[in-house]
Amino acid sequence: LRFGVERDLGGIFRSAEVGFNYTGRVKRLTPNEFLLGLKGNTDGTTSVPIPTEFLYDRGANLGFLGLGSTIAYDVQGLLDSGIYNQVRNPNADVNTKRWRVREDVITGYLQLNIDTQLGTNRLTGNVGVQIVNTDQRSDGIASSGRVTGVLSTPISDGASYLYALPTLNLVMRGENDFVARFGLGRQLARAKMNDMRASIDYNFNQAQVNCPDLSCSPWSGSGGNPRLRPWIADGVDLSLEKYFARDGYVSVAGYYKNLKSYIYQQQQLQDFTGFPIRGTQEPLIREGFVSIWSNGEGGKLYGFELAGALPFSLFTPALEGFGLQGSYSFTESEIEPNPGDPTEPLPGLSRHVWNATAYFER
């Protein structure tokens, strides 16, 4: 839901905008996993010939693995035929795939739009601020064990938070199709919703119930984090661009982001108060470490990008519609997940990224 109003002002600020947005997101996952067994298996039979109506005339060619031709059959047809008993998989790792996450985001904003002439150059852009309020909640299951030894309990958690995001964007359009862009502001990127799930696949080691400290805690596990905050960075961006022909350009851009908060996987202390245990003896401690997505503080991300597009019509009209475009970017990053440890790059972030595309469009 979006609502906004704009008023013309005149002068360096062409207009002013004020308004709000509401976004509601819900994501659910419900697993349907079954163990299959032959129906009517009263004599211990564990295999039967595949009914001929489900066999394919040609086998599967696995020659590339050195296995030659193997049998092939209609798996879905067999399932639908009723030959199997379907027993729901009760194991903890299946239970913890069941979760629901809801995220409600209300954003209020004020924006001043810039459009003015500076000599022979035209300056456009905007300056403003967003006030973003987020309420996130997740329902899931904390589960441990396998088959008849599975222990499960419902779990719900969440967080509410407010961020102010001021931003300045400027575009200077000069003579000879030269453009300079400048951006400065606080930036926000939300976590993936499955990373915010409440479900935890935990372990309870009955042999360590008498452990008095975390070094030998009977509790451990992995899962999501319904209190996960978004990425927050103070960033500055500068781009210089030169346009030519109808669809050709070359650009160089640089950026620097001071990370206030980022997301990575960490061993985090979890309170297991109220979680079911095996046996009757109460453990000495109710805390343990779980591997979940967490927020780190402090770090930086910086780099540059070269990009361009070259229409071949510049060389001869016979090549109208043909062209080449591409880009190269270099990125460095430093985070310190655990205070006192050496810095490390952000996991999964590529240092060098390039692409090139030859195209025809007419």
Side-chain angles (χ1 to χ4, degrees), residues 180-231:
R181 303 178 191 273
F182 175 78
L184 177 67
R186 175 156 288 190
Q187 303 161 350
L188 179 152
R190 300 192 174 279
K192 292 185 290 186
M193 295 187 78
N194 57 303
D195 292 342
M196 295 190 293
R197 67 190 188 277
S199 292
I200 294 178
D201 185 0
Y202 75 96
N203 299 308
F204 177 75
N205 189 342
Q206 180 69 24
Q208 295 178 202
V209 292
N210 294 318
C211 169
D213 56 58
L214 292 172
S215 64
C216 56
S217 172
W219 304 95
S220 63
S222 63
N225 183 358
R227 300 186 183 186
L228 194 61
R229 300 290 185 96
W231 295 69

Side-chain angles (χ1 to χ4, degrees), residues 270-289:
Q270 167 82 24
D271 185 354
F272 287 92
T273 299
F275 281 46
I277 62 173
R278 289 180 178 80
T280 58
Q281 185 177 352
E282 178 68 20
L284 295 183
I285 59 174
R286 277 280 184 171
E287 292 182 319
F289 288 99

Side-chain angles (χ1 to χ4, degrees), residues 16-33:
E17 295 181 50
V18 63
F20 76 91
N21 308 326
Y22 166 76
T23 302
R25 304 182 186 94
V26 177
K27 188 170 185 177
R28 301 177 182 87
L29 181 62
T30 302
N32 278 309
E33 298 189 15

Side-chain angles (χ1 to χ4, degrees), residues 167-329:
T167 305
L168 169 68
N169 296 292
L170 298 174
V171 181
M172 180 74 77
R173 292 175 171 82
E175 297 177 330
N176 303 316
D177 295 319
F178 178 82
V179 177
R181 303 178 191 273
F182 175 78
L184 177 67
R186 175 156 288 190
Q187 303 161 350
L188 179 152
R190 300 192 174 279
K192 292 185 290 186
M193 295 187 78
N194 57 303
D195 292 342
M196 295 190 293
R197 67 190 188 277
S199 292
I200 294 178
D201 185 0
Y202 75 96
N203 299 308
F204 177 75
N205 189 342
Q206 180 69 24
Q208 295 178 202
V209 292
N210 294 318
C211 169
D213 56 58
L214 292 172
S215 64
C216 56
S217 172
W219 304 95
S220 63
S222 63
N225 183 358
R227 300 186 183 186
L228 194 61
R229 300 290 185 96
W231 295 69
I232 298 291
D234 291 333
V236 57
D237 299 80
L238 177 64
S239 172
L240 304 176
E241 306 164 6
K242 166 65 178 174
Y243 293 84
F244 54 88
R246 187 180 64 188
D247 48 7
Y249 77 94
V250 61
S251 71
V252 57
Y255 65 91
Y256 180 90
K257 300 183 188 297
N258 181 21
L259 298 176
K260 300 298 184 180
S261 172
Y262 55 90
I263 296 172
Y264 71 113
Q265 207 157 24
Q266 185 189 41
Q267 293 289 325
Q268 191 174 93
L269 193 62
Q270 167 82 24
D271 185 354
F272 287 92
T273 299
F275 281 46
I277 62 173
R278 289 180 178 80
T280 58
Q281 185 177 352
E282 178 68 20
L284 295 183
I285 59 174
R286 277 280 184 171
E287 292 182 319
F289 288 99
V290 293
S291 177
I292 62 173
W293 293 100
S294 306
N295 288 114
E297 296 181 359
K300 53 188 176 182
L301 181 69
Y302 56 92
F304 68 88
E305 181 181 58
L306 307 174
L310 178 65
F312 292 168
S313 58
L314 285 174
F315 309 118
T316 172
L319 294 177
E320 176 73 25
F322 290 92
L324 183 68
Q325 62 186 27
S327 68
Y328 165 77
S329 64

Side-chain angles (χ1 to χ4, degrees), residues 91-226:
N91 293 330
D93 63 324
V94 177
N95 291 340
T96 55
K97 293 177 186 176
R98 181 179 289 108
W99 49 265
R100 177 184 185 272
V101 174
R102 179 172 182 87
E103 184 181 60
D104 294 298
V105 183
I106 298 177
T107 303
Y109 66 90
L110 170 65
Q111 177 175 306
L112 299 174
N113 297 308
I114 301 168
D115 193 345
T116 187
Q117 202 72 23
L118 295 179
T120 59
N121 303 315
R122 183 186 176 198
L123 179 68
T124 61
N126 54 65
V127 59
V129 62
Q130 296 182 81
I131 306 297
V132 184
N133 182 78
T134 302
D135 182 75
Q136 62 192 41
R137 289 290 181 269
S138 177
D139 303 313
I141 294 177
S143 193
S144 176
R146 295 178 58 81
V147 196
T148 58
V150 172
L151 300 173
S152 298
T153 186
I155 185 171
S156 297
D157 203 354
S160 298
Y161 48 85
L162 182 75
Y163 287 108
L165 308 175
T167 305
L168 169 68
N169 296 292
L170 298 174
V171 181
M172 180 74 77
R173 292 175 171 82
E175 297 177 330
N176 303 316
D177 295 319
F178 178 82
V179 177
R181 303 178 191 273
F182 175 78
L184 177 67
R186 175 156 288 190
Q187 303 161 350
L188 179 152
R190 300 192 174 279
K192 292 185 290 186
M193 295 187 78
N194 57 303
D195 292 342
M196 295 190 293
R197 67 190 188 277
S199 292
I200 294 178
D201 185 0
Y202 75 96
N203 299 308
F204 177 75
N205 189 342
Q206 180 69 24
Q208 295 178 202
V209 292
N210 294 318
C211 169
D213 56 58
L214 292 172
S215 64
C216 56
S217 172
W219 304 95
S220 63
S222 63
N225 183 358

